[in-house]
Amino acid sequence: MTAVRFLVNGAPVEVDVPGMRRLLDVLREDLGLTGAKEGCGEGECGACTVILDGEVVDSCLVPICQVEGRIVRTVEGLARRTGDGPVLDELQQAFLEAGGAQCGICTPGMLMAARQYLDAGGGPDDVAIRTAIAGNLCRCTGYTKIVEAIAQAASVHP
Ligand code: FES
Ligand code: FES
C-alpha cells in the first residue's frame, strides 16, 4: 500500500492504496467521485477524462503513484458553490442549452476536455474545438451539438 496525497477540485485528499491502482478507481471507488466514467478502460474513449496539472488525461491510464502532490480536476468541481446553491459552469450551461448531452456517458469527459481547451485560451473555432475533443468519443450526438456548445461557451468568455 502507498499513501498518496493530492488535491481534488481544490480539496486535499489522502488515500492509502496499491500504487498501481488507477486514478479512475481511486476517484470513483475510494473518493466517491463518480463523474468520470469507465468506457473502454484502455485510453481510447475519453469517458474517464480529468485534468491533471492542467493537462487532459485518461484517468484509466494513470497509476495513483504518479499523482502524489498533484492537482486533479474532475467534473464535480466545475459548478461554482454560491450562497444560493451551485451555479453551472458556462460549459455545463451551454451543453444544456445546445443539447450537447444525450445518454451522458461521454459528457463528463467532454466537459473536462472542453474546460481545459477554454482555460488554455481556446476560442469558438470549429476545427480547433474538434481537435481538442478528438480523444473523446460520443456515440449519440454526432458531435455537432457538442461543438456548438463549446463554441457558445468560448464566445461568452473569449
Ligand atoms: Fe479511459 Fe476509455 S475508460 S479512455
Ligand atoms: Fe451518449 Fe455522448 S451523449 S455517448
Side-chain angles (χ1 to χ4, degrees):
M1 302 290 256
T2 307
V4 184
R5 288 163 295 271
F6 54 105
L7 285 181
V8 179
N9 301 326
V13 297
E14 178 173 343
V15 294
D16 196 19
V17 295
M20 292 307 289
R21 186 164 171 76
R22 306 179 308 172
L23 173 58
L24 176 62
D25 298 325
V26 170
L27 291 171
R28 290 181 56 84
E29 297 173 13
D30 301 326
L31 299 176
L33 297 171
T34 55
K37 301 289 184 273
E38 175 151 19
C40 64
E42 298 177 347
E44 298 292 337
C45 74
C48 64
T49 300
V50 300
I51 299 173
L52 179 62
D53 284 345
E55 300 280 345
V56 168
V57 298
D58 294 324
S59 61
C60 70
L61 296 182
V62 179
I64 196 65
C65 62
Q66 293 183 358
V67 183
E68 170 67 32
R70 301 179 72 182
I71 296 172
V72 178
R73 293 180 69 194
T74 73
V75 73
E76 286 88 350
L78 283 186
R80 292 182 296 283
R81 313 285 164 204
T82 73
D84 297 326
V87 175
L88 293 181
D89 176 278
E90 59 263 26
L91 275 165
Q92 291 171 310
Q93 189 64 41
F95 269 60
L96 198 59
E97 292 170 8
Q102 288 187 25
C103 82
I105 289 291
C106 73
T107 309
M110 283 287 185
L111 285 168
M112 298 318 288
R115 180 73 268 161
Q116 184 54 33
Y117 171 73
L118 296 191
D119 287 352
D125 177 75
D126 188 89
V127 172
I129 291 171
R130 287 179 185 274
T131 300
I133 61 168
N136 296 76
L137 304 183
C138 177
R139 65 184 176 181
C140 304
T141 65
Y143 299 96
T144 301
K145 291 183 176 181
I146 290 174
V147 173
E148 286 174 4
I150 298 170
Q152 179 182 321
S155 301
V156 172
H157 290 286

